[in-house]
């Protein structure tokens, strides 16, 4: 919903409204009061103040309100509904996200690898409002979280609810081939000219029934380009753990990443491989993919406005009629 004034400069006339309200008082002060000869003024002084005299300023108030409403109406207040008309075709994207236990490693801000990946992916999705985007997660197996959709608010809510496999109570592992196959299957019936899978993992394929290279060849046959992102710093990285006494602690484990396999997947499908060692680097990877896969769409915005002046002029007319009627009846002055 949009609200605006078509001619807002007329609102400057509202500055004259206080002067109009004060005019009766100023006029009485500047004019010479009429004189009255009366031998005994005590009777006039003791006369009571009638309700007509008390309520007489109401006439000025009604007139001022009517003028204010007319001025606002002249400025033409309007409400409008904006509508986007999209021509062309966006990119259809399937996001494949590793949720294995190693994604709990603490070498990424603000909390761990999974939280960093979710935040960066969320920013990526919001930059592509006209693309169909789906979501797949994988650990020892792969699961479809959302089919390709342009309802990105629903997609982002589903993304926000993603947890580590260890927290979900499912078998841990890294089934890269299954994740890629599931994402590719999500796009197999798409008519989009450009179909893309963005696969993010921090490990080595050690689970699942489908080899990553086999899944890559299947994606290539379907005309799907795969961008692979390897996440994690090399060497020892901090990982949360529970000791023998049930206390939370941090241990250091070797970070393993099969970069050769990820590079080969990208090469087979015509995509690219990226290595991200921190959150800033991960964001740069998704920004680069965003720049490489541009949607071929044209957006025209139309806004239909509805005039609201009548809702002000009708009450203003009522105030004017009421003020005139009262001035000629109950508040009538004798010459």
């Amino acid at each position: 919903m949009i609200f605006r004034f078509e001619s807002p400069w007329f609102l400057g006339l509202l500055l004259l409204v206080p002067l109009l309200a004060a005019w009766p008082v100023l006029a009485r002060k500047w004019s010479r009061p009429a004189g009255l000869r009366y031998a005994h003024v005590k009777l006039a002084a003791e006369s009571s103040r009638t309700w007509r005299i008390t309520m007489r300023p109401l006439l000025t108030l009604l007139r001022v309100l009517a003028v204010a409403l007319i001025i606002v109406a002249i400025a033409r207040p309007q409400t409008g509904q904006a509508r986007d008309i999209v021509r062309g075709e966006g990119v259809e994207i399937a996001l494949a996200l590793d949720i294995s236990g190693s994604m709990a490693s603490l070498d990424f801000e603000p909390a761990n690898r999974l939280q960093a990946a979710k935040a960066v992916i969320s920013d990526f999705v919001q930059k592509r409002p006209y693309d169909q985007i789906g979501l797949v997660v994988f650990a020892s197996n792969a699961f479809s979280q959302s089919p390709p959709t342009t309802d990105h608010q629903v997609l982002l809510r589903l993304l926000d609810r993603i947890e580590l496999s260890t927290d979900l109570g499912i078998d841990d592992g890294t089934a890269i081939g299954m994740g890629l196959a599931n994402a590719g299957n999500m796009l197999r019936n798409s008519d989009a000219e450009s179909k893309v899978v963005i696969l993010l993992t921090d490990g080595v394929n050690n689970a699942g029934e489908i080899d990553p290279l086999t899944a890559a060849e299947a994606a290539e046959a379907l005309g799907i380009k795969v961008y692979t992102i390897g996440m994690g710093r090399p060497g020892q990285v901090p990982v949360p753990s529970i000791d023998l006494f049930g206390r939370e602690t941090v241990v250091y484990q070797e970070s393993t990443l099969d970069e050769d396999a990820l590079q080969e997947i990208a090469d087979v499908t015509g995509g690219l491989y990226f290595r991200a060692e921190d959150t800033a680097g991960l964001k740069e990877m998704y920004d680069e993919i965003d720049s490489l896969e541009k949607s071929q769409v044209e957006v025209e915005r139309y806004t239909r406005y509805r005039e609201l002046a009548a809702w002000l002029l009708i009450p203003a007319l009522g105030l004017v009629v009421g003020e005139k009627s009262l001035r000629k009846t109950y508040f009538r002055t004798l010459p």
Side-chain angles (χ1 to χ4, degrees):
M1 181 71 70
I2 300 171
F3 179 82
R4 71 170 189 178
F5 287 97
E6 176 66 20
S7 306
W9 49 86
F10 281 111
L11 295 175
L13 295 175
L14 290 173
L15 298 174
L16 300 177
V17 171
L19 179 61
L20 179 62
W23 180 252
V25 177
L26 296 175
R28 285 195 302 270
K29 183 180 294 186
W30 292 338
S31 63
R32 292 186 62 184
L36 176 65
R37 286 191 175 187
Y38 193 71
H40 191 30
V41 296
K42 185 177 179 181
L43 294 175
E46 291 178 352
S47 62
S48 62
R49 185 181 178 91
T50 66
W51 68 270
R52 287 185 174 86
I53 296 175
T54 303
M55 299 298 293
R56 193 168 192 79
L58 177 64
L59 299 177
T60 301
L61 177 61
L62 294 178
R63 181 177 297 180
V64 169
L65 287 176
V67 170
L69 289 174
I70 291 171
I71 291 173
V72 175
I74 292 173
R76 294 182 61 190
Q78 300 172 334
T79 59
Q81 290 282 354
R83 180 184 178 190
D84 289 341
I85 298 179
V86 182
R87 296 185 178 89
E89 192 173 69
V91 180
E92 193 147 338
I93 300 172
L95 302 167
L97 176 61
D98 189 347
I99 60 169
S100 61
S102 59
M103 290 290 285
S105 299
L106 305 174
D107 53 341
F108 277 68
E109 298 291 341
N112 56 33
R113 293 177 180 177
L114 180 61
Q115 293 303 321
K118 287 165 60 175
V120 172
I121 291 172
S122 176
D123 290 340
F124 174 82
V125 170
Q126 293 178 66
K127 291 177 181 177
R128 308 187 68 92
Y130 305 108
D131 291 334
Q132 296 259 4
I133 302 179
L135 179 62
V136 172
V137 296
F138 62 93
S140 61
N141 207 331
F143 309 92
S144 295
Q145 289 290 104
S146 171
T149 178
T150 54
D151 190 347
H152 293 171
Q153 293 303 314
V154 172
L155 178 66
L156 292 174
R157 285 198 293 270
L158 293 171
L159 175 66
D160 185 60
R161 294 174 185 171
I162 290 174
E163 299 180 33
L164 294 162
S165 60
T166 49
D167 294 331
L168 294 173
I170 62 177
D171 292 337
D172 199 13
T174 307
I176 296 175
M178 294 291 290
L180 178 55
N182 197 308
N185 186 61
M186 189 175 280
L187 302 179
R188 64 181 299 177
N189 296 321
S190 170
D191 296 326
E193 187 174 331
S194 182
K195 296 178 286 186
V196 172
V197 170
I198 304 175
L199 185 146
L200 184 149
T201 183
D202 70 340
V204 177
N205 187 73
N206 57 17
E209 302 172 356
I210 301 177
D211 180 73
L213 185 57
T214 301
E217 291 171 345
E220 192 275 333
L222 293 171
I224 299 171
K225 186 187 299 183
V226 182
Y227 292 97
T228 54
I229 300 175
M231 189 177 187
R233 298 174 184 172
Q236 297 281 321
V237 296
V239 179
S241 180
I242 304 295
D243 63 17
L244 296 175
F245 302 99
R247 297 173 301 187
E248 293 184 0
T249 184
V250 175
V251 298
Y252 282 81
Q253 296 179 358
E254 190 70 24
S255 179
T256 57
L257 181 64
D258 192 348
E259 292 193 86
D260 291 337
L262 296 177
Q263 181 69 66
E264 191 169 9
I265 291 171
D267 291 342
V268 167
T269 61
L272 294 171
Y273 166 65
F274 303 94
R275 174 71 183 264
E277 297 185 3
D278 55 32
T279 304
L282 183 64
K283 187 177 185 308
E284 289 178 6
M285 303 300 99
Y286 275 91
D287 286 344
E288 185 167 348
I289 295 172
D290 179 53
S291 66
L292 291 171
E293 296 294 334
K294 286 297 183 183
S295 302
Q296 303 300 317
V297 296
E298 295 180 1
V299 182
E300 294 184 23
R301 172 160 288 192
Y302 294 90
T303 305
R304 177 175 293 178
Y305 289 100
R306 185 167 65 93
E307 295 284 351
L308 301 178
W311 294 95
L312 300 172
L313 291 174
I314 292 174
L317 178 61
L319 291 173
V320 171
V321 172
E323 189 264 346
K324 289 295 184 183
S325 299
L326 290 173
R327 192 175 293 275
K328 296 295 184 180
T329 55
Y330 291 106
F331 299 102
R332 182 180 180 184
T333 58
L334 296 176

